[in-house]
């Protein structure tokens, strides 16, 4: 019998749907199937979701390849923490689309229908610039759209993506003045990721670009590349002034590598 493989984000799944469906006719009611639906809804690959959930890179891939295996409590809790998905939905279903905790927001939300040509033409909005440096209390950020850029196909189904121009030299050689960066407000940042922190010290919003290195109960820490200092410069930003933190997408995330 010929097998039919499923493609997710252009990648062939590790197992043929028809073979599994024949062997497990109620696969649609399994935790594995609901996790697969969740990943499609979010537009993320199993490897990325595994890392977001605090697991090894191949944890979800191995689970999805074995329909009779059971996810651990740590795996379910990790997916809940990373994406806000309901653990009860993962375990028991009750809806054809993912259900999320009432006080949580899904980390990425795909459109229900494929993007139209008009959606593609509108492109990703460019919302001004971000300072490579951080000066406490300095204002200068707003959400005014100053332009747009064509949407890469791998980002077309994700809501909320926007772009900023880099202003300043303190993130060289990673980012130079005038470079365009893409941000996903819904994707959680891990240590080592580049982020844009939006702060307000009472003088209006300020954006700052840096490498997220960690946090404690009161403070978020960033590192600047700083071309004058090979070890970089560490920046401490009080959480009480932080209004948002948005992950900068990598080249791999932009183009689906």
């Amino acid at each position: 019998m010929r097998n039919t493989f499923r493609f997710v984000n252009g990648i062939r799944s590790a197992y043929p749907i028809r073979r599994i469906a024949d062997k497990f006719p109620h696969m649609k009611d399994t935790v594995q199937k609901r996790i697969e639906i969740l990943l499609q809804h979010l537009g993320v690959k199993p490897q990325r979701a595994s890392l977001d959930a605090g697991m090894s890179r191949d944890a979800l891939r191995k689970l999805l390849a074995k329909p009779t295996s059971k996810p651990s409590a740590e795996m379910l809790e990790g997916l809940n923490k990373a994406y806000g998905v309901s653990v009860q939905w993962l375990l028991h279903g009750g809806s054809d689309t993912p259900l999320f905790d009432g006080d949580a927001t899904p980390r990425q939300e795909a459109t229900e229908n494929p993007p139209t040509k008009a959606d593609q033409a509108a492109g990703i909005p460019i919302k001004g610039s971000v300072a490579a440096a951080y000066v406490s209390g300095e204002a200068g950020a707003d959400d005014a759209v100053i332009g747009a850029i064509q949407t890469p196909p791998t980002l077309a189904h994700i809501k909320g993506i926007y772009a900023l121009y880099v202003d300043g030299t303190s993130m060289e050689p990673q980012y130079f003045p005038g470079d365009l960066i893409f941000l996903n407000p819904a994707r959680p940042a891990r240590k080592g990721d580049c982020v844009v922190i939006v702060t307000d010290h009472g003088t209006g919003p300020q954006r700052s670009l840096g490498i997220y290195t960690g946090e404690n109960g009161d403070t978020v820490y960033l590192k600047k590349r700083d071309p004058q200092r090979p070890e970089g410069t560490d920046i401490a930003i009080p959480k009480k002034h932080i209004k948002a933190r948005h992950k900068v997408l990598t080249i791999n995330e932009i183009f689906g590598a």
Side-chain angles (χ1 to χ4, degrees):
M1 180 179 62
R2 185 179 179 182
N3 293 322
T4 300
F5 288 86
R6 184 170 202 158
F7 286 77
V8 179
N9 290 340
I11 305 297
R12 192 177 76 168
S13 66
Y15 47 89
I17 289 176
R18 185 173 297 173
R19 181 185 299 168
I20 292 177
D22 290 343
K23 188 173 182 180
F24 302 99
H26 301 295
M27 181 184 170
K28 66 180 181 179
D29 295 326
T30 66
V31 175
Q32 281 88 344
K33 183 60 178 177
R34 285 189 287 275
I35 289 176
E36 189 178 55
I37 291 172
L38 173 69
L39 299 186
Q40 287 182 301
H41 179 82
L42 299 175
V44 298
K45 298 177 182 179
Q47 292 91 337
R48 177 67 204 195
S50 295
L51 295 174
D52 285 349
M55 301 177 290
S56 66
R57 182 181 180 86
D58 291 327
L60 283 175
R61 181 185 62 81
K62 292 177 179 178
L63 176 74
L64 295 177
K66 297 180 180 179
T68 57
S69 62
K70 301 294 184 182
S72 66
E74 290 77 10
M75 179 181 289
L76 296 175
E77 291 171 0
L79 290 171
N80 172 261
K81 183 176 180 181
Y83 302 121
V85 63
S86 166
V87 172
Q88 289 300 310
W89 180 81
L90 289 172
L91 288 173
H92 307 295
S95 170
D96 291 335
T97 57
L99 297 179
F100 297 90
D101 291 344
D103 58 351
T105 302
R107 297 299 184 184
Q108 288 189 352
E109 183 178 349
T111 55
E112 293 183 358
N113 301 306
T116 64
K117 290 184 178 180
D119 293 331
Q120 290 280 6
I124 292 175
I126 302 173
K127 297 184 177 182
S129 62
V130 56
Y134 172 73
V135 180
S136 177
E138 181 175 311
D142 59 52
D143 283 331
V145 176
I146 64 172
I149 187 170
Q150 184 175 357
T151 306
T154 53
L155 301 182
H157 65 294
I158 303 175
K159 295 179 180 178
I161 300 290
Y162 71 99
L164 295 170
Y165 287 111
V166 175
D167 181 15
T169 61
S170 67
M171 283 298 288
E172 293 182 1
Q174 186 168 1
Y175 297 109
F176 290 88
D179 282 354
L180 192 66
I181 58 175
F182 293 84
L183 300 99
N184 184 353
R187 169 157 284 191
R190 297 176 296 147
K191 288 183 179 180
D193 287 342
C194 282
V195 297
V196 168
I197 300 291
V198 182
T199 58
D200 192 335
H201 293 261
T203 56
Q206 173 193 3
R207 297 189 187 109
S208 182
L209 174 65
I211 301 167
Y212 173 66
T213 58
E215 62 186 278
N216 57 32
D218 302 314
T219 308
V220 170
Y221 297 97
L222 300 183
K223 181 179 284 293
K224 301 291 186 175
R225 290 295 185 190
D226 196 341
Q228 305 303 319
R229 302 180 63 181
E231 71 277 13
T233 300
D234 295 316
I235 304 294
I237 304 178
K239 284 186 176 180
K240 64 181 180 180
H241 298 304
I242 295 177
K243 301 303 179 184
R245 61 177 94 178
H246 297 166
K247 183 185 185 306
V248 179
L249 297 179
T250 65
I251 293 296
N252 286 346
E253 291 167 335
I254 293 171
F255 296 105

